[in-house]
Amino acid sequence: MITLIYRGIIAIVMSFTVWNLYTEKKIALQANAAIVLIPLLLRLLMIK
Amino acid sequence: MNKQIITASVCLLAALSVAGITGKNFMEVKKPDELRPGPGVTQTKMLSDYFPDIAGTNADSTVYVMEGEQPGGKMLVLGGTHANEPSGYLAAITFVESGKVEQGTVFVIPRTCNSGFTHNDPQEGSPQYYTIQTKGGPRQFRYGSRAANPLDQWPDPDVYVHAASGQRLSGSETRNINRTYPGRPDGTLTEKASYAVRQLIDTEGVNLTFDLHEASPEYPVINATVAHETAMSIASNGMFELQMAGIAMSLEPSPTNLHGLTHRELGDYTDTLPLLMETANASQGRLRGKTNADLVLTGKDKCYVKAQKLGFLYVPYDETGHPIEERVGRHLQGIYEYSKAYSAQYPESPIVYNGLPSYQELFLDADPSELGGTQLGKYLN
């Protein structure tokens, strides 16, 4: 159960990060958001 | 489509590509190494056969059963308790691939903490694999972590309380299988794994248990055997033989107030005689230099040579390092001498096997240019 809640939190943070990626005007900050997505995705899928 | 959307999509695609490539790699390291059991293996079981709760989890592990033609005692060899201590893992594999039991039954678990092999310790720079040239060609073996994968068991508590004794340890030790014995059927995944080992010992009536480890060269308990008081007699007798074979080995009594380890809890909670052996592994040490597969196999490290000169180490250390043949050879010779001492002390249930290289064959008589994996590979299929 705790793992499902944890993954739910990650999914929410990911959705905010993707939203930030598409609303951010500076390309450096877009890249920053994209980099943040990598570990979030790997953890959401429980790969790493 | 405006420029902002295009650049965001490019960044997203790049991130997904990186996640895909790294994710594939992380998934691949979770696959167990291919073992090639020799004719000595008569049956293959799983740890979950003894405790079904761990079936389908990363705590489950293969148990190789090697039954002799004549009845005798029963022995368990635990390799891979800590997946960053390769000599224990490789000694167990060598047993499975080259050993042949004549009297009694030997159970071998090469990956006792299977989950520990599915990841590396963060910030250690450990190699994912090391390669050994064997009779069947080059083979990759996994270098893992001291503890189970946090993906398999989380979160770590701030303080780990050992259930059976109330002993308090650092929170991360909750994933160290050698701090969780005797285990609990309703505990954490790691406690369930140690409970499964205990169930195997009880169900099969294992007389003698070896837990194979490595230690940092700066750690005091090294090139040592730790014995429960019930195993001290055979350990003492075996020690004389090891000394005769040119193996400097210290004998340490299992501390009565240090809980969760095989040499304490398996002796207290089961009828087996537990022994734990340690060899010198620079790749897990704190003083090491460049960390790579070569260090794992040769033990050659300039930093440790310097540390030796400064008197910081508990083992001799020079430019020749501590090759894997020396370390695996110590384990195999130790198992041989202690099991021989057991058979002498309990002649009604002897354990006799052959086919394994001695310390002399594996290390002392080897061509120095073949140390570091090639010599050991001659005994792997």
Side-chain angles (χ1 to χ4, degrees), chain B residues 62-317:
Chain B
T62 308
V63 181
Y64 296 91
V65 185
M66 305 169 77
E67 203 167 353
E69 289 180 359
Q70 299 174 59
K74 294 185 176 178
M75 181 169 97
L76 171 63
V77 178
L78 300 172
T81 288
H82 294 143
N84 62 339
E85 299 171 7
S87 79
Y89 180 45
L90 290 170
I93 292 174
T94 309
F95 210 117
V96 166
E97 300 199 359
S98 287
K100 179 90 173 65
V101 177
E102 290 176 5
Q103 265 188 295
T105 306
V106 177
F107 300 85
V108 184
I109 309 178
R111 293 163 74 110
T112 303
C113 181
N114 187 59
S115 175
F117 284 88
T118 65
H119 73 132
N120 285 109
D121 288 319
Q123 302 182 352
E124 290 291 328
S126 306
Q128 288 189 332
Y129 296 96
Y130 47 92
T131 302
I132 293 177
Q133 189 68 37
T134 69
K135 287 183 280 186
R139 285 172 63 186
Q140 272 194 333
F141 296 94
R142 178 81 179 120
Y143 188 96
S145 163
R146 176 177 174 81
N149 194 327
L151 284 178
D152 295 326
Q153 181 186 316
W154 78 280
D156 288 350
D158 291 335
V159 175
Y160 163 52
V161 180
H162 178 249
S165 67
Q167 171 185 264
R168 293 156 71 89
L169 292 170
S170 165
S172 62
E173 295 285 26
T174 191
R175 288 180 286 112
N176 178 352
I177 194 171
N178 205 29
R179 296 296 180 276
T180 64
Y181 288 96
R184 285 191 295 173
D186 56 351
T188 63
L189 190 69
T190 311
E191 286 175 316
K192 287 180 179 179
S194 54
Y195 182 75
V197 172
R198 178 182 157 197
Q199 288 297 104
L200 184 159
I201 291 169
D202 284 342
T203 307
E204 301 287 358
V206 172
N207 306 108
L208 184 60
T209 298
F210 292 98
D211 187 13
L212 308 179
H213 285 256
E214 296 208 87
S216 312
E218 67 273 23
Y219 185 68
V221 182
I222 192 163
N223 283 354
T225 299
V226 188
H228 190 269
E229 51 271 21
T230 53
M232 194 53 84
S233 172
I234 61 165
S236 308
N237 289 333
M239 183 73 58
F240 287 120
E241 299 296 332
L242 286 170
Q243 300 281 358
M244 294 297 286
I247 299 177
M249 178 87 85
S250 62
L251 178 57
E252 313 272 346
S254 170
T256 53
N257 58 352
L258 179 57
H259 292 282
L261 294 91
T262 49
H263 56 71
R264 168 51 42 203
E265 309 299 351
L266 293 181
D268 284 354
Y269 284 84
T270 74
D271 293 331
T272 198
L273 305 175
L275 294 162
L276 182 149
M277 284 188 279
E278 300 271 10
T279 59
N281 174 23
S283 67
Q284 70 181 109
R286 299 297 90 196
L287 308 178
R288 68 183 189 271
K290 189 177 178 183
T291 308
N292 53 25
D294 196 42
L295 177 63
V296 173
L297 292 173
T298 66
K300 291 179 182 174
D301 187 296
K302 285 188 285 189
C303 297
Y304 271 113
V305 175
K306 188 167 184 182
Q308 160 70 24
K309 287 174 184 162
L310 294 170
F312 291 160
L313 306 184
Y314 289 89
V315 285
Y317 223 105

Side-chain angles (χ1 to χ4, degrees), chain A residues 2-4 6 18 21-25 27 30-31 34-35 37-38 41-43 46-48, chain B residues 4-5 7-9 11-12 14-16 18-19 22-24 26-27 30 119-120 151 154-155:
Chain A
I2 191 174
T3 304
L4 285 177
Y6 176 58
V18 172
L21 173 63
Y22 277 91
T23 53
E24 187 55 64
K25 290 186 173 61
I27 191 166
Q30 286 182 328
I35 291 167
L37 279 174
I38 297 168
L41 181 60
L42 291 173
R43 183 51 60 91
M46 299 302 273
I47 291 173
K48 181 64 179 174
Chain B
Q4 183 185 342
I5 301 291
T7 53
S9 298
C11 288
L12 182 61
L16 290 176
V18 172
T22 54
K24 185 169 178 285
F26 290 134
M27 292 300 286
K30 291 178 183 177
H119 73 132
N120 285 109
L151 284 178
W154 78 280

